[in-house]
Amino acid sequence: MPETQTRQVVELGYAGSERLVMNMGPQHPSAHGVFRMLLTLEGETVVAMDAIIGYLHRCHEKLGETLTYVQYPSIASKTDYVAAMTSELAYVSAVEALGTFEVPRRAQYLRVLVAELQRIASHCLWLGTWCMDMGGALGGGATVFLYCFREREEVLDRLEELTGARLLYGFHQVGGTRYDVPAGWDRKVRDTVAFIERRIDEWEAMLEDNAVFRVRTQGVGVVSRELAQEVGIAGPLLRGSGVDFDLRRDAPYSSYGDFRFRVPVEAAGDCYARYRVRMVEFRESIRIARQVLDGLPEGPISSRPGVKSVGQVRVPKGEAYARVEGARGEVGCYIVSDGGPRPYRMKWRGASFSNLAVLPHIIPGHKVADVVAIMGSVDPVFGEVDR
Amino acid sequence: MQPDGGTAQGVLRETAQLVGAVGRAMGTTLRNLFRRPVTLRYPDVTRVYPDRFRGVLALTYDRETGEENCIGCRLCEYICPPQVIKVEMLKAEKRNWAKTFTLELYSCEFCELCVQVCPTDAIVMLKTFDLATTDRRELLLDKDRLHALGLRFEHSWATGTRLRDMQAPPKAARAAGEGGARE
Amino acid sequence: MPSFARHALEAAVVLGALVGLVAYVTLLERKFAARLQSRIGPYYVGWPHGWLQPIADGLKLMLKEDVVPARADRGVYNLAPIVFLVPCLLIFATIPFAPGLGVADLAIGVLFFLAVSSLEIVGLFMGGWGSNNKYALLSVMRAVNQIISYDLPFIFVALVPVLLAGSLQMSAIVGAQAGLWFVAYPVLGQLAFLAFVVATLAAENRVPFDILEAESELVAGFRVEYSGMKLALIQLGEYAHMLGTSFLGALLFLGGWLGPGPAWLGPVWFLAKALAIFLLVTWVRWSFVRIRVDQILAISWKLMLPASVLLLLATALWVAAGGAGAA
């Protein structure tokens, strides 16, 4: 592993050496959206890597300042569109922290439930796309990808039955949730998580002991504990590097204090460790989802009457930061209010954005083929990186 | 598959492990070979949309009187985050009407906020989404087309009243009755 | 010149049948992969089950614009698909589909097959080099490494049945399996067949070893700049090579056209066996992720090559000890 470099100098042109500057992205099969990497290669080995982001910038934070507290939750899902529920939750938590909004227990439980279902769906997508990065669209990678999507579809079906949408839900609102569970839904969720639990075994049978998979992931892209803490990565990456930190347990929000679950930690810090962490998280999410369903209290889902007009929610002057454990790590939302119906300033802390910062430290020294494997194991979502 | 040197026993164990792993991986794909495909032959076979499906928007008529429900109050216009709705109100003696009602479906986010705020349950979502077209002007829906869509496709469960009832904290008992308008 | 005319006719028939077969082999693979992945696969073109899909694909590629990159080496770039395709089709010249049914049953058939089939690397390299594209360049660098590394074990493994049969002639090799298919020879046969499948995967760039195509890293590798009919030629060549190697495998290990039933069933048996090998390779392809280039080379030089040489030596000893009594 090369040591941490403050700045990679990219040598343009050949300059007498056998170096080759190759552009990867923003249009590239494994750019995970629109990530652009300038790789300086010596043969197949990457000697320097420059990350260029911003191709999906949509002025999201400015948009948040023009939309009211009523309108924005359904747009908040567009930051991290793969795990929309958690970004919505971060936003409404920030607003609730700012004002004095009580959230009924049923709504709290539902928030946890959808967040965990979302985590399952998001990890499904991660596993699938990551394997596709390593295995190609015309090979076993695509098979794992389609298996994962097949199972993710089940979760999305449940969320669709709940909210009517498959990707951008608008499930949360300030003071509670917008939708209550339909009749018979909890039964279906139980079936779904049981089904996914069985299918996880199947994915593991395809990958876990597979020598081909192991040589591609073990010892590749090692993020040391120190580097992880220095760069400030979060979520499964951080836990894969041996740091035992999970907001759900260490700073419980919503009703996470009521549930028992295990936070997986792996010490190795390589792609395989991250894989192991996420595979355990699948199972822990299923466990939490079951506990929520067992203990789902009766009662209202919102402490406020249903939204009737655009400026209905007002919060006092002040500022607040709320953070939740998204599928990719700490998703934070910072809001400054001037007392009006919309934030004066808002800021997102995207987990993918912070996690990407580790790439230039770990990629040099690896082969081109490892670059995509490392990229996939970081699991960035570019809606959240560029915002 | 990493041929690192070792004892003969180690090599044997590694080989056995490798063969086992290869067998498991290929067994998994083989098992899936005999599962039914989960994809559908889409235009011929459509999946069942859930009750709350958030699809294309439409305007409704009153079931008893056959009048348009929309009173042109512009609440949906105000709340729409991407601002795709434009309404002009027509004032009248008994009740107000929407003089024009345009909805730019190509920019719609399907967040259901317009349905949520509608005081007369005039705007609803439909259980359809595939209005693909080669001309975006066809997705600029005016009042007549919105009404026509409402007659053509099945309505989703959600209406403004129902959504607000579902969220309302104190009077949860009121929402119990079913029997709503569904075309 | 009746003899010449007859040969030309035979070649034309084989070629025509081959192109049709290759087209439908792609459909077979697509349907098979689709079912492995819980999908339906091609369906609507040639309803039902996409029977016309390969023809539609071919037509589409023919009608597509032929883009040549501005800075490409035009001569090399344009010639490459042909250079790639010719050896891939030529390998079928030596394959007898039934006793006496084939273009040329050479006395050195296996040698010819191996020699010609490894020529594809020339066209491949020309394509990657001529495209003037960094992805393509990296891809062919990998390709040269990989194909040369894997041709050696491939040849050694292919020589095992040759030793067992005591002949390089394809029909003689099949004849030697009349008693027992070579794959059924204890230990030796199975190991050789396994090694043959692995070497085939590598020599054909199928997935655990498809680093030169590597869509997720190198987009499409050496053919990233190709479009239209040139792409079709390259695809045709790839699948023809794939199919040719499957036929070779069926000849060398599975007893070619031997099988129960009347003699005219021979070609059917042969085709079925070749397709079985093809499906096996496809099955492997859709079940694994890709290996890295250095690991591929390590496997080749540290594992496959010694193993195949040992296998060959063991076979030679066995034959010398009079083991191959069936021949």
Side-chain angles (χ1 to χ4, degrees):
Chain A
M1 278 303 97
E3 286 137 35
T4 302
Q5 284 151 297
T6 48
R7 168 88 186 134
Q8 306 286 349
V9 181
V10 177
E11 291 177 27
L12 292 167
Y14 296 88
S17 72
E18 289 293 314
R19 292 195 167 174
L20 177 72
V21 176
M22 193 170 82
N23 193 26
M24 235 173 164
Q27 291 179 347
H28 189 277
S30 51
H32 276 256
V34 285
F35 188 43
R36 183 170 166 216
M37 287 180 274
L38 271 181
L39 302 174
T40 309
L41 307 178
E42 245 169 38
E44 281 260 334
T45 313
V46 182
V47 293
M49 177 262 191
D50 244 17
I52 299 160
I53 59 170
Y55 291 92
L56 202 62
H57 188 58
R58 292 153 299 167
C59 305
H60 215 282
E61 286 164 0
K62 196 72 202 164
L63 191 65
E65 290 158 22
T66 64
L67 295 176
T68 67
Y69 298 119
V70 172
Q71 290 172 312
Y72 192 72
S74 58
I75 311 294
S77 37
K78 299 198 174 191
T79 56
D80 181 354
Y81 40 77
V82 177
M85 288 291 191
T86 41
S87 16
E88 288 173 14
L89 181 56
Y91 180 80
V92 296
S93 304
V95 180
E96 283 157 8
L98 203 51
T100 44
F101 297 100
E102 185 202 337
V103 182
R105 259 172 77 76
R106 186 177 175 82
Q108 299 279 29
Y109 271 55
L110 283 178
R111 284 178 177 185
V112 169
L113 177 61
V114 295
E116 293 309 318
L117 288 178
Q118 183 73 84
R119 192 182 317 277
I120 296 171
S122 172
H123 280 2
C124 283
L125 186 128
W126 154 77
L127 183 63
T129 51
W130 184 44
C131 286
M132 190 135 98
D133 282 348
M134 290 191 299
L138 299 172
T143 308
V144 181
F145 173 78
L146 284 160
Y147 291 170
C148 291
F149 264 56
R150 187 180 62 192
E151 271 68 276
R152 176 173 177 260
E153 201 72 357
E154 288 290 319
V155 181
L156 295 192
D157 280 347
R158 297 295 88 76
L159 292 177
E160 189 186 23
E161 281 158 14
L162 180 67
T163 66
R166 301 178 70 76
L167 197 64
L168 308 168
Y169 308 100
F171 176 72
H172 298 78
Q173 66 175 6
V174 177
T177 64
R178 266 178 80 194
Y179 300 92
D180 204 348
V181 297
W185 189 71
D186 53 343
R187 184 72 256 155
K188 282 186 181 171
V189 173
R190 276 177 206 278
D191 290 349
T192 301
V193 293
F195 168 75
I196 287 184
E197 205 169 29
R198 285 198 302 274
R199 291 298 169 88
I200 293 171
D201 295 337
E202 214 166 271
W203 303 334
E204 283 183 340
M206 273 192 88
L207 301 171
E208 191 93 11
D209 306 324
N210 195 332
V212 177
F213 175 75
R214 284 200 158 187
V215 294
R216 283 303 303 278
T217 53
Q218 280 182 332
V220 170
V222 177
V223 181
S224 66
R225 198 190 153 95
E226 293 73 37
L227 179 64
Q229 286 172 328
E230 217 171 277
V231 176
I233 59 175
L237 261 86
L238 186 66
R239 294 191 281 276
S241 294
V243 182
D244 191 4
F245 180 73
D246 189 321
L247 283 174
R248 291 176 292 171
R249 185 198 60 199
D250 299 327
Y253 51 91
S254 200
S255 54
Y256 272 107
D258 298 359
F259 309 114
R260 295 173 56 78
F261 57 96
R262 197 162 65 83
V263 176
V265 181
E266 295 273 334
D270 56 3
C271 291
Y272 190 74
R274 281 164 233 157
Y275 158 83
R276 281 305 315 154
V277 166
R278 288 195 177 98
M279 290 318 262
V280 177
E281 279 187 9
F282 266 126
R283 298 211 159 86
E284 293 305 311
S285 287
I286 288 171
R287 212 173 128 197
I288 297 174
R290 287 203 174 116
Q291 291 176 47
V292 175
L293 287 171
D294 288 339
L296 190 64
E298 291 298 317
I301 54 165
S302 177
S303 61
R304 304 166 45 78
V307 168
K308 266 185 172 158
S309 71
V310 64
Q312 196 171 326
V313 178
R314 278 171 190 272
V315 296
K317 243 181 181 156
E319 52 190 278
Y321 177 74
R323 52 186 193 165
V324 302
E325 182 77 24
R328 280 159 205 82
E330 177 178 333
V331 179
C333 185
Y334 175 67
I335 290 177
V336 181
S337 162
D338 58 359
R342 47 179 69 92
Y344 170 74
R345 173 80 176 94
M346 81 166 287
K347 167 93 178 78
W348 279 101
R349 187 238 187 245
S352 309
F353 177 73
S354 310
N355 290 352
L356 268 191
V358 81
L359 282 185
H361 297 288
I362 55 174
I363 280 185
H366 282 97
K367 298 268 185 290
V368 177
D370 291 331
V371 172
V372 289
I374 295 170
M375 258 292 283
S377 76
V378 169
D379 187 24
V381 169
F382 276 80
E384 200 186 13
V385 174
D386 294 340
R387 298 193 285 273
Chain B
M1 214 171 264
Q2 247 170 346
D4 39 25
T7 57
Q9 225 176 9
V11 171
L12 269 182
R13 191 163 357 102
E14 247 174 53
T15 315
Q17 198 265 345
L18 175 69
V19 170
V22 168
R24 266 199 298 285
M26 291 180 70
T28 306
T29 43
L30 186 68
R31 180 135 49 105
N32 280 285
L33 181 64
F34 299 108
R35 288 201 174 122
R36 275 165 53 88
V38 291
T39 50
L40 298 172
R41 298 190 298 275
Y42 158 61
D44 292 348
V45 186
T46 51
R47 71 190 176 95
V48 182
Y49 302 121
D51 243 8
R52 294 180 181 175
F53 189 75
R54 271 152 54 177
V56 176
L57 289 150
L59 290 174
T60 58
Y61 293 106
D62 192 308
R63 286 191 99 191
E64 278 114 49
T65 58
E67 286 177 345
E68 294 167 8
N69 276 331
C70 182
I71 54 170
C73 68
R74 301 182 68 191
L75 276 177
C76 48
E77 181 182 332
Y78 292 134
I79 203 162
C80 180
Q83 301 171 3
V84 299
I85 301 177
K86 291 280 169 292
V87 189
E88 281 179 89
M89 189 196 267
L90 182 70
K91 298 232 178 202
E93 281 164 28
K94 231 172 94 190
R95 51 164 286 195
N96 296 332
W97 303 86
K99 193 164 126 205
T100 63
F101 192 110
T102 53
L103 196 150
E104 302 163 54
L105 196 66
Y106 46 81
S107 296
C108 178
E109 292 188 333
F110 303 96
C111 63
E112 215 176 28
L113 281 174
C114 49
V115 178
Q116 158 111 37
V117 296
C118 185
T120 57
D121 296 350
I123 187 163
V124 293
M125 287 187 143
L126 305 174
K127 289 192 191 179
T128 185
F129 64 95
D130 42 0
L131 294 186
T133 165
T134 52
D135 186 349
R136 64 189 277 159
R137 278 172 298 187
E138 285 178 31
L139 293 178
L140 180 65
L141 303 177
D142 57 16
K143 202 172 94 175
D144 295 340
R145 297 189 57 195
L146 283 165
H147 276 114
L149 280 173
L151 294 177
R152 209 172 122 205
F153 295 105
E154 194 189 344
H155 293 190
S156 295
W157 167 86
T159 61
T161 319
R162 281 181 182 167
L163 282 174
R164 288 192 298 271
D165 281 350
M166 185 160 67
Q167 295 157 8
K171 42 197 176 194
R174 207 185 67 178
E178 231 289 296
R182 185 177 298 169
E183 294 285 333
Chain C
M1 211 182 279
S3 152
F4 170 78
R6 188 169 159 269
H7 281 306
L9 190 69
E10 269 178 4
V13 168
V14 168
L15 199 61
L18 180 65
V19 172
L21 191 60
V22 166
Y24 276 91
V25 157
T26 60
L27 182 66
L28 176 70
E29 167 158 21
R30 286 174 69 173
K31 287 303 253 188
F32 182 69
R35 292 310 296 259
L36 276 183
Q37 300 173 341
S38 290
R39 292 185 290 124
I40 297 171
Y43 192 84
Y44 279 106
V45 185
W47 188 89
H49 298 302
W51 282 109
L52 297 179
Q53 185 73 42
I55 296 166
D57 285 346
L59 273 178
K60 185 199 83 172
L61 283 172
M62 262 185 250
L63 296 175
K64 278 211 150 184
E65 187 189 353
D66 179 31
V67 184
V68 181
R71 305 276 296 276
D73 189 340
R74 292 188 79 97
V76 175
Y77 177 85
N78 287 333
L79 201 57
I82 312 287
V83 177
F84 180 73
L85 180 64
V86 166
C88 294
L89 294 180
L90 210 55
I91 53 177
F92 283 87
T94 62
I95 292 179
F97 297 96
L101 184 65
V103 179
D105 190 11
L106 298 178
I108 51 158
V110 176
L111 190 64
F112 180 85
F113 186 103
L114 296 173
V116 171
S117 90
S118 52
L119 273 182
E120 64 155 1
I121 182 67
V122 177
L124 219 147
F125 189 77
M126 283 169 68
W129 185 261
S131 305
N132 190 18
N133 179 304
K134 289 172 183 173
Y135 293 131
L137 182 67
L138 274 183
S139 159
V140 292
M141 272 160 53
R142 291 174 171 191
V144 172
N145 274 336
Q146 177 189 337
I147 291 184
I148 291 178
S149 311
Y150 275 90
D151 264 347
L152 288 174
F154 186 66
I155 289 169
F156 281 126
V157 172
L159 286 182
V160 169
V162 170
L163 271 188
L164 288 174
S167 168
L168 277 168
Q169 193 171 18
M170 300 265 192
S171 53
I173 292 173
V174 175
Q177 298 180 64
L180 193 61
W181 296 355
F182 285 154
V183 71
Y185 274 47
V187 188
L188 220 61
Q190 287 98 49
L191 279 181
F193 185 65
L194 191 68
F196 180 82
V197 169
V198 175
T200 305
L201 278 168
E204 307 299 331
N205 334 318
R206 304 309 258 192
V207 147
F209 306 99
D210 77 329
I211 49 164
L212 63 153
E213 198 181 318
E215 319 80 24
S216 53
E217 301 144 33
L218 302 179
V219 192
F222 65 97
R223 53 183 173 192
V224 62
E225 296 287 3
Y226 283 95
S227 60
M229 209 49 215
K230 288 179 198 155
L231 181 67
L233 289 183
I234 291 177
Q235 296 274 39
L236 182 68
E238 262 190 3
Y239 272 90
H241 196 186
M242 184 71 235
L243 201 59
T245 319
S246 303
F247 273 120
L248 183 70
L251 263 176
L252 293 183
F253 291 100
L254 299 183
W257 53 80
L258 301 174
W264 59 265
L265 264 179
V268 179
W269 277 113
F270 191 27
L271 186 64
K273 288 171 189 171
L275 287 183
I277 292 184
F278 177 81
L279 281 183
L280 177 67
V281 170
T282 311
W283 181 17
V284 172
R285 178 190 191 188
W286 294 96
S287 300
F288 291 101
V289 295
R290 187 184 296 130
I291 315 181
R292 214 166 54 206
V293 57
D294 53 327
Q295 292 158 347
I296 286 188
L297 296 184
I299 291 170
S300 168
W301 294 104
K302 293 187 190 160
L303 185 74
M304 287 294 291
L305 189 64
S308 55
V309 171
L310 280 180
L311 211 57
L312 193 62
L313 282 177
T315 316
L317 284 176
W318 198 53
V319 172

